[in-house]
Amino acid sequence: AQSVTQPDIHITVSEGASLELRCNYSYGATPYLFWYVQSPGQGLQLLLKYFSGDTLVQGIKGFEAEFKRSQSSFNLRKPSVHWSDAAEYFCAVGAIRTNFGNEKLTFGTGTRLTIIP
Amino acid sequence: ETGVTQTPRHLVMGMTNKKSLKCEQHLGHNAMYWYKQSAKKPLELMFVYSLEERVENNSVPSRFSPECPNSSHLFLHLHTLQPEDSALYLCASSQVVGGGEQYFGPGTRLTVT
């Protein structure tokens, strides 16, 4: 079964500093990988996704993530955070559909990001 | 209207009430999902529909009853809920059923009193 671990429950970063949010996954084949962001009281917004190809993927709002198969990781990065980046961030893994039944995305428990001036 | 919409955004109901949550997607997708998001818990997948046919039900109590009349609309009918059912209920859609990206609505914040 697939699983996702986000080891950091809460991270605090100064505005303008760099950011890295960790995500480790467990899946027996090539996964689909995603990062979502959730602002308070809102749904989840897709930041970026990895399906195949270049292991460094660019997303919206200046975010990027790097897929490292050897480490089973898909960490999210941003070179300089803005106060508006304060939110909850979720990593998710999905199966490349090989047969009817691999429907679901599995989400991590999330990392709450606080930005201080 | 674009994306995935959900109504109502907030709902307070007693344990003996019957209510329904509505989700509509304007993306032309063929798959729709209901998730439950509780504080300090991972997102829980409740139901999956593909072309109006239910394909997965993750052992959800029968007091939650989904309905998918067409590929654009999804309902979650609620009756005799418990206080522990209070949560944010999120609807999502995807192009096809599978592990590809899903697009989420803003959610319905449900409080059961």
Side-chain angles (χ1 to χ4, degrees), chain B:
Chain B
E1 191 94 60
T2 58
V4 181
T5 58
Q6 290 186 244
T7 55
R9 293 294 310 276
H10 300 272
L11 178 62
V12 179
M13 59 186 288
M15 290 190 284
T16 58
N17 291 159
K18 288 185 181 182
K19 297 286 184 183
S20 295
L21 309 184
K22 179 183 176 183
C23 174
E24 184 173 359
Q25 59 95 0
H26 309 269
L27 301 169
H29 288 167
N30 290 321
M32 297 187 77
Y33 310 79
W34 278 117
Y35 287 89
K36 176 183 179 182
Q37 187 177 35
S38 305
K40 303 190 192 314
K41 282 188 171 182
L43 212 59
E44 298 173 52
L45 178 65
M46 300 175 73
F47 299 103
V48 180
Y49 276 85
S50 173
L51 295 171
E52 303 121 58
E53 178 183 341
R54 190 191 305 181
V55 298
E56 183 162 343
N57 172 355
N58 279 346
S59 302
V60 178
S62 59
R63 57 186 184 268
F64 295 92
S65 175
E67 178 190 1
C68 189
N70 55 63
S71 59
S72 298
H73 293 86
L74 185 64
F75 295 89
L76 188 62
H77 304 299
L78 316 171
H79 65 97
T80 59
L81 294 190
Q82 304 299 310
E84 60 264 29
D85 297 322
S86 299
L88 183 69
Y89 288 84
L90 293 165
C91 173
S93 70
S94 63
Q95 183 63 51
V96 294
V97 169
E101 69 263 39
Q102 295 176 14
Y103 294 85
F104 284 79
T108 295
R109 172 66 63 185
L110 173 67
T111 302
V112 181
T113 61

